[in-house]
Amino acid sequence: MSEVKPDLVDVQIDGVWHQFPKGTRLIEACRQVGAEVPHYCYHPKLTSPGNCRMCLVETGMPPRPMPGAEPPQPDESGHLPISWIPRPVIACANTVAPNMGVRTTGPITEECRKGVMEFLLANHPLDCPICDQAGECTLQEYSVEHGKGESRFREKKVKKPKNVDVGPRVRLDDERCVMCSRCIRFTDEIADDPVLGFTDRGSHTVLTVYPGRELANNYSLNTVDICPVGALTSNDFRFQMRVWFMRETNTIDVNCATGCNVTVYSRQNKIYRVVPRQNNDVNSDWMPDSHRLNFHWIDSDARLTDPMVKENGKHRVATWSEALAKTAEKLAPLSGSEIAVIASARMTNEELFLVNRLVKQIGAGHVEIVPRMGEADGYLISADRNPNTNGVKLVLGLANPGSGLDRVKSGIEEGRIKAVLCLQENLVEDGGFSPELLGKLDFLLATYPLANPTTGLADVVLPGACWAEKSGTMINVTGRLQRLNKAVDGPGQTLEPWEIVRDLIQALGGGNGIYSVTEIFKQLAAEVAAFKGLSWGQIGDLGLPLIETGETIPALEREKQRKAAGLIVG
Amino acid sequence: MGGITYKRGREPHGKEHRVIFRNIDREGWDPGIETYLKDGGYDQLKKALGMERAAITEEVKKSGLRGRGGAGFPCGVKWTFIPPNNTKPVYLICNADESEPGTFKDRYILHQDPHQLIEGMTIACFAVGAKLAYIYIREEFPEAAKIVEKAIAEAHAKGFLGKNIQGSGFDLEIYVHRGAGAYICGEETGLIESLEGKRPYPRIKPPYFPAAMGLYLCPTIVNNVETLCHVKHIIGMGGEEYAKTGTKNNTGTRILCVSGDVQKPGYFEVEVGKVTMGEVINDLCGGLKPGRELKAVIPGGSSAKVLRADEIYTVGRGDDARKLTIWDIPMDFDTMAACGSMAGSGGVIVMDDSRSMSWVLNNLNNFYAHESCGQCTPCREGSLWMKKITDRVVAGKASPSDIDTLYGVAKNIDGRTICAFGEACSWPTESFVEKFRDELIGDTKPELEGAIVNAETLTAAASL
């Protein structure tokens, strides 16, 4: 037999021998060698009930000789012959065994798939034209790949509840449900809120929410993501856009320091939905509802679209050069110690890098950020609601971000600070700066995506792009460096914050030739020790660990335990 | 059966061999413990408590006892599947969810001789090291549950249950758990889920083999009522002696429940393999109804494949091969399997020439469509589909090709489901179509080929 490591077993998949660690599920072994096994109920992060029967495959083992008979002899590759078993097995819950054979094609496997497809469609309403899942529905996909092309079903279909409100954000169509139980297992195993279940039996089985309860937990929309069909749909997204028209952008969530990996779905510069993207070092496959739905403000009427300057107490639209020139003019008479720069821990490392340069250039006496602390939810929401506090520490060099905010306030109060450059923050509402306090300033510049009380007070207002409109990197709570990718353009004259800071640096006298985020990252990698040797491309879509913070993400820790216990594949 | 008299009209037939049913319909018998003790009750338990645990299992293995619930798995072998290095509690469950259509044996034990079960169960628990056992009684047996609970209390009071049973140091508690009326709860892993308070969705095997990961994921032995009763008698006689009853590899006695078109349907305890189908129908049951001819027999509960009366069955291989008519088939596990069916739960359903096979199949399909738990796709969707097709066959609204579809649907269920319900619901259809295809096709109408057969589709077609 070929060289076998102790914990590896030889398995033949579709005629080719491979080695897999003991305990590997057949479905994962097949996937690893490119022989995808279709499935509905199996999800690597959930337990395997084996109920959909779509992953049935033909398997075989070496023949067991009758007592006294000659044992089977290995062939020239060192493997025993395989005696194929007529009864198919589910690939999702069975594990590899030495000298096992698996056929993901062939008559038995293919007949099983055709049979299951026909069964699943027998009572399915076939309402694809008006179904939100159309275009990303496994029933559709597997119909193409494994279906019979026609149904023999001539009977009346089973009628079940439709358009059921199972919770504030999720809607259920029981006729579309294939009863894979993924949503039930998710609410039970991951969200600890087991409110979903089946009632009735046989073909009349219905998914339902427990009487008097609702699917209202902050992770409810993940059930929509893992529903392989159109049974569970999002109230927010349903009927908004056909999925095939949308563009997908891989980026990260900025609602807290966890930095859930997400895909932003947009069309013609409008975002239609944000869904979690798998990253087993950050958010697994999940994200909180509150975070994914926090995007509708992006195309609201409150967006700032043009630079504005205040004249005679009123804002008027200005050009960028006008606004920057006015800023330079107002700052010129001031000494550095009279200027405070309030940056944001929602800024990328690249933006912070330029902020740092700006601070040095004008010799600003104060630089701070606005902290946002809340309560961790014990799953994926971090207590730190700023996405890049670690970047602030590392790039902007603040040892204790937010701690100096009171000194800035007293500086303004006492007249020592005469100008504030507020970059992508809302000092009045989030920073605890009263309008009266800000009114004492000689000059206030504010950049922000939305009009807010701070921009209302500002002498110069600059429209800064929001998270979905910019690229850059951030460092999450565990110290992981992750990439933000621009999904849509900001409205009107909006610029990405790094461009604004670059232009401020230029307007205030320092020239530089930075034209892209990747260029900034190169400089960052050259100047900041922790980034040394890194390139933009290296970070990839899943990020990489940059620093040790000692922090963990509770939902991931629990997932690791379930994996170690063999309950899930992970 | 010296000295035992039975109630008038309920006397056992001469070809019966009553062991388990010894006290059923017995004159002067009641389910109370005093009656049981007077008859030598709990003597075998006392004997077993003096034996080595492994020796009890060894006796059961030697006896060749096969499970009487339906699958016919060797009982002693099942007990040895508990992992030897196990450190978790071991549970024993008595499956009293007797739900297989055509089967009505366990109910008599529960109603009339509950202490026999408790004694057998206590011996089994002692052998496998279970200190907690459950009797899962189907919802439809409310009286049985009361009687068994009373019997448990009596056994407790007499020191046959509870702490330190008969001074042996062995503790055992038995609890009755009542089902809620679902056939699937008779499937052992479905039963376990139900006992845990969940929907009785059968578990996948692997990994959830009950002997290793059963109730609360602890080693669990699930045995049928009749099987556990046999354990008592095996201890009484000794395994080898027990094995002399019945036939080789099909030892002991078993209770046949005969229903359908016979003169005297009922229950009959016979030595396994010692009586033939002909003897069952003609002798035990007094023959077919006057002027009728045998058409078919379902020999082991409704899930068993149907046997056609005029078919010649070949059993045995090579030199041992012999041809049998349906009348000659010995009622044992192996021959019944060789004839293409199974001895199953012992429910023999006899059908004469007055029966429409379409109607019979539709009746069975109705049952399975109603009882499919709905967990896995083929059975959930297929069982109702088969019912709907046979509904149409019976109503004269089916075309000949519907019979092919019917067969195809059954084939797509068979062997592809989580539990044996898949086979249970597909085998009747498969066997009826295989054996009575012409009759089923005769109930269809060729002119309906390709026609739209339901109002819903008609409406949809009209709006095109």
Side-chain angles (χ1 to χ4, degrees):
Chain A
M1 196 161 286
S2 54
E3 199 67 29
V4 179
K5 291 175 201 147
D7 53 347
L8 291 179
V9 291
D10 282 26
V11 179
Q12 190 202 67
I13 296 176
D14 295 333
V16 182
W17 288 97
H18 303 274
Q19 289 190 330
F20 299 99
K22 269 183 195 160
T24 306
R25 310 262 181 115
L26 297 185
I27 202 166
E28 291 295 329
C30 292
R31 188 184 56 76
Q32 283 167 28
V33 301
E36 199 76 38
V37 177
H39 55 273
Y40 293 97
C41 70
Y42 170 76
H43 191 288
K45 305 298 170 59
L46 304 172
T47 55
S48 302
N51 63 34
C52 76
R53 315 309 283 177
M54 191 63 191
C55 70
L56 285 168
V57 289
E58 187 182 5
T59 59
M61 293 297 289
R64 281 190 217 157
M66 300 289 277
E70 199 61 17
Q73 294 302 313
D75 62 13
E76 57 272 26
S77 75
H79 298 104
L80 296 170
I82 293 168
S83 163
W84 295 94
I85 303 162
R87 191 185 174 97
V89 304
I90 45 173
C92 66
N94 284 283
T95 52
V96 294
N99 212 102
M100 188 183 208
V102 182
R103 285 176 177 159
T104 69
T105 58
I108 289 185
T109 305
E110 282 162 22
E111 277 306 309
C112 286
R113 291 174 185 171
K114 276 185 189 163
V116 171
M117 282 310 299
E118 190 181 43
F119 282 136
L120 286 176
L121 294 175
N123 284 299
H124 188 83
L126 301 174
D127 58 348
C128 305
I130 55 150
C131 178
D132 270 299
Q133 191 80 6
E136 53 182 14
C137 171
T138 33
L139 267 179
Q140 287 185 331
E141 287 162 21
Y142 294 161
S143 285
V144 175
E145 288 177 63
H146 311 291
K148 290 165 73 89
E150 57 175 348
S151 174
R152 298 174 292 179
F153 190 79
R154 301 173 72 203
E155 325 302 324
K156 247 186 189 163
K157 288 178 189 269
V158 174
K159 297 284 181 290
K160 289 185 188 176
K162 294 181 85 73
N163 203 10
V164 185
D165 263 317
V166 288
R169 294 175 291 280
V170 182
R171 198 162 288 264
L172 163 69
D173 184 321
D174 259 312
E175 290 185 349
R176 292 177 186 160
C177 176
V178 293
M179 282 152 266
C180 69
S181 77
R182 277 182 174 188
C183 54
I184 297 174
R185 284 174 281 143
F186 173 84
T187 53
D188 183 14
E189 297 167 16
I190 311 280
D192 304 316
D193 182 30
V195 293
L196 295 178
F198 288 129
T199 58
D200 288 326
R201 64 192 188 200
S203 195
H204 302 281
T205 302
V206 289
L207 174 69
T208 191
V209 66
Y210 192 84
R213 299 284 300 277
E214 53 177 13
L215 176 62
N217 70 68
N218 197 26
Y219 290 83
S220 69
L221 283 169
N222 292 288
T223 61
V224 174
D225 302 331
I226 58 174
C227 180
V229 297
L232 294 174
T233 51
S234 155
N235 281 342
D236 187 66
F237 176 68
R238 73 199 306 256
F239 303 140
Q240 296 303 304
M241 183 52 62
R242 308 304 327 204
V243 296
W244 51 84
F245 288 133
M246 296 189 293
R247 195 175 68 167
E248 297 174 24
T249 308
N250 290 345
T251 184
I252 57 170
D253 172 54
V254 296
N255 286 286
C256 78
T258 301
C260 287
N261 286 210
V262 299
T263 302
V264 172
Y265 284 78
S266 61
R267 186 189 184 195
Q268 293 181 340
N269 220 41
K270 178 176 162 67
I271 297 173
Y272 285 89
R273 67 174 178 183
V274 176
V275 297
R277 176 165 57 86
Q278 189 187 7
N279 187 332
N280 289 344
D281 291 310
V282 182
N283 55 312
S284 185
D285 289 25
W286 327 114
M287 79 180 291
D289 294 358
S290 51
H291 290 191
R292 79 162 80 198
L293 293 177
N294 187 19
F295 69 88
H296 289 290
W297 58 269
I298 289 176
D299 65 348
S300 78
D301 290 341
R303 283 302 295 269
L304 296 168
T305 55
D306 296 274
M308 290 186 289
V309 294
K310 202 172 238 180
E311 280 173 3
N312 305 321
K314 282 182 80 180
H315 280 133
R316 72 161 173 86
V317 168
T319 63
W320 275 101
S321 44
E322 242 181 314
L324 291 166
K326 177 157 183 185
T327 306
E329 174 202 321
K330 290 284 189 180
L331 293 182
L334 302 175
S335 74
S337 63
E338 292 169 317
I339 304 171
V341 174
I342 311 289
S344 173
R346 289 169 168 173
M347 292 176 113
T348 64
N349 295 323
E350 294 71 17
E351 290 159 9
L352 294 167
F353 181 75
L354 291 188
V355 169
N356 199 19
R357 197 170 272 182
L358 173 70
V359 167
K360 282 184 183 148
Q361 178 171 329
I362 58 179
H366 305 269
V367 56
E368 254 312 333
I369 57 110
V370 174
R372 279 187 182 76
M373 293 306 285
E375 291 220 358
D377 73 345
Y379 294 89
L380 290 173
I381 301 182
S382 167
D384 182 0
R385 301 295 157 80
N386 273 326
N388 198 24
T389 304
N390 281 325
V392 168
K393 290 181 187 169
L394 216 57
V395 181
L396 203 53
L398 300 187
N400 204 351
S403 61
L405 221 48
D406 285 343
R407 282 200 300 279
V408 175
K409 285 176 195 166
S410 57
I412 300 171
E413 189 66 54
E414 291 157 15
R416 285 181 282 113
I417 296 173
K418 295 197 165 68
V420 168
L421 305 183
C422 169
L423 305 173
Q424 299 296 102
E425 270 302 351
N426 181 353
L427 296 181
V428 175
E429 286 177 327
D430 295 346
F433 288 72
S434 67
E436 297 70 39
L437 184 69
L438 293 177
K440 293 181 190 241
L441 289 169
D442 288 351
F443 179 70
L444 173 63
L445 171 137
T447 78
Y448 206 68
L450 293 165
N452 65 32
T454 311
T455 59
L457 296 167
D459 300 289
V460 171
V461 179
L462 303 175
C466 76
W467 63 276
E469 298 157 354
K470 66 185 188 182
S471 299
T473 62
M474 292 187 177
I475 305 165
N476 85 347
V477 64
T478 65
R480 192 172 188 84
L481 181 66
Q482 305 198 95
R483 243 165 57 178
L484 208 62
N485 290 311
K486 178 176 173 173
V488 290
D489 291 327
Q493 302 297 314
T494 304
L495 286 182
E496 291 186 43
W498 71 266
E499 295 174 297
I500 299 176
V501 181
R502 173 199 62 190
D503 293 350
L504 278 171
I505 292 170
Q506 274 178 330
L508 297 172
N512 66 66
I514 294 174
Y515 296 98
S516 73
V517 171
T518 48
E519 268 178 84
I520 308 173
F521 188 80
K522 258 186 215 161
Q523 298 188 11
L524 177 67
E527 288 180 30
V528 181
F531 292 80
K532 206 169 171 93
L534 286 178
S535 73
W536 179 260
Q538 225 178 321
I539 304 165
D541 268 349
L542 297 176
L544 43 82
L546 187 76
I547 51 170
E548 288 286 342
T549 63
E551 299 272 349
T552 56
I553 298 167
L556 277 195
E557 294 307 305
R558 285 196 294 275
E559 204 155 276
K560 278 182 204 160
Q561 287 168 13
R562 284 196 296 275
K563 183 178 176 170
L567 294 171
I568 58 165
V569 167
Chain B
M1 277 168 238
I4 297 178
T5 52
Y6 290 88
K7 288 173 184 155
R8 257 192 74 186
R10 302 270 179 127
E11 298 88 353
H13 190 275
K15 291 194 172 176
E16 282 194 59
H17 183 98
R18 289 229 175 162
V19 176
I20 305 300
F21 266 24
R22 183 169 170 270
N23 303 320
I24 304 300
D25 303 329
R26 186 174 164 181
E27 198 69 68
W29 184 264
D30 66 63
I33 196 163
E34 294 302 337
T35 310
Y36 188 70
L37 288 172
K38 259 185 253 165
D39 199 48
Y42 288 105
D43 284 354
Q44 278 79 27
L45 172 61
K46 290 175 195 159
K47 181 178 173 187
L49 290 172
M51 293 167 70
E52 287 291 321
R53 288 169 184 229
I56 299 174
T57 305
E58 203 45 48
E59 288 303 316
V60 174
K61 273 174 144 179
K62 270 191 230 164
S63 76
L65 175 65
R66 292 171 70 164
R68 301 297 197 241
F73 193 83
C75 178
V77 178
K78 195 184 227 180
W79 291 2
T80 60
F81 287 160
I82 296 172
N85 53 356
N86 172 57
T87 54
K88 293 178 180 175
V90 175
Y91 297 102
L92 186 133
I93 300 170
C94 169
N95 186 344
D97 191 69
E98 181 174 59
S99 331
E100 181 74 4
T103 313
F104 41 87
K105 57 189 180 68
D106 297 340
R107 66 160 70 193
Y108 292 99
I109 300 169
L110 300 172
H111 279 127
Q112 298 189 29
D113 204 359
H115 284 288
Q116 180 184 203
L117 171 63
I118 293 168
E119 186 176 1
M121 219 173 145
T122 309
I123 297 168
C125 286
F126 180 64
V128 302
K131 291 181 173 169
L132 201 52
Y134 297 91
I135 306 178
Y136 190 102
I137 300 181
R138 69 181 302 205
E139 199 263 346
E140 293 84 346
F141 291 172
E143 277 305 309
K146 283 184 201 158
I147 294 165
V148 173
E149 291 216 313
K150 182 160 175 270
I152 290 171
E154 288 172 342
H156 230 282
K158 297 272 182 194
F160 297 115
L161 281 177
K163 293 267 175 216
N164 191 18
I165 295 172
Q166 299 296 304
S168 66
F170 173 60
D171 306 335
L172 174 67
E173 293 295 341
I174 297 180
Y175 295 103
V176 168
H177 183 95
R178 294 195 53 203
Y183 174 75
I184 199 64
C185 291
E187 199 279 344
E188 60 180 357
T189 57
L191 187 157
I192 288 169
E193 286 279 304
S194 170
L195 203 50
E196 288 183 2
K198 298 183 265 183
R199 279 171 74 83
Y201 278 171
R203 297 172 174 173
I204 49 173
K205 290 150 274 190
Y208 300 107
F209 292 109
M213 288 203 271
L215 186 63
Y216 311 120
L217 295 186
C218 297
T220 304
I221 298 297
V222 185
N223 282 138
N224 170 260
V225 173
E226 190 189 342
T227 315
L228 287 167
C229 290
H230 277 286
V231 171
K232 164 191 154 82
H233 302 286
I234 289 165
I235 295 308
M237 302 183 205
E240 275 173 35
E241 196 58 31
Y242 178 93
K244 287 177 188 167
T245 52
T247 52
K248 188 170 178 285
N249 203 28
N250 295 270
T251 57
T253 62
R254 79 172 307 183
I255 300 148
L256 298 177
C257 315
V258 189
S259 59
D261 302 324
V262 288
Q263 301 259 16
K264 287 195 295 178
Y267 41 81
F268 308 94
E269 185 170 2
V270 295
E271 284 188 63
V272 184
K274 288 280 177 73
V275 297
T276 62
M277 184 76 81
E279 287 172 301
V280 170
I281 294 172
N282 291 326
D283 301 343
L284 298 174
C285 298
L288 297 166
K289 290 179 178 170
R292 288 293 169 194
E293 282 186 13
L294 184 66
K295 186 169 185 180
V297 177
I298 300 172
S302 63
S303 312
K305 289 189 174 181
V306 66
L307 299 174
R308 199 179 153 113
D310 55 7
E311 198 172 329
I312 300 298
Y313 298 91
T314 308
V315 299
R317 281 186 196 163
D319 295 341
D320 292 337
R322 57 203 168 106
K323 292 197 184 304
L324 300 175
T325 69
I326 194 167
W327 304 97
D328 308 326
I329 299 173
M331 305 300 283
D332 69 59
F333 293 99
D334 294 339
T335 316
M336 215 52 92
C339 293
S341 187
M342 63 174 180
S345 63
V348 181
I349 303 168
V350 181
M351 290 164 278
D352 68 22
D353 56 353
S354 70
R355 299 291 168 188
S356 152
M357 290 296 120
S358 301
W359 185 90
V360 171
L361 179 56
N362 185 230
N363 185 307
L364 293 171
N365 284 347
N366 260 309
F367 174 78
Y368 289 110
H370 186 251
E371 293 297 342
S372 168
C373 79
Q375 184 185 200
C376 70
T377 309
C379 166
R380 177 181 69 232
E381 303 299 339
S383 57
L384 184 63
W385 190 355
M386 293 193 298
K387 171 210 176 305
K388 285 177 173 176
I389 295 176
T390 52
D391 276 350
R392 286 195 289 113
V393 175
V394 169
K397 289 182 177 171
S399 64
S401 68
D402 281 326
I403 304 301
D404 296 329
T405 303
L406 177 65
Y407 189 72
V409 171
K411 280 286 179 193
N412 277 349
I413 304 171
D414 190 354
R416 301 180 187 177
T417 53
I418 290 175
C419 78
F421 191 104
E423 285 76 46
C425 76
S426 59
W427 282 355
T429 289
E430 285 178 26
S431 62
F432 274 81
V433 176
E434 280 164 12
K435 307 218 165 169
F436 294 98
R437 188 186 171 82
D438 291 345
E439 182 178 340
L440 296 181
I441 290 205
D443 288 339
T444 63
K445 294 181 177 154
E447 64 269 28
L448 289 178
E449 208 63 75
I452 294 168
V453 290
N454 74 66
E456 184 185 78
T457 320
L458 268 178
T459 317
S463 63
L464 283 178

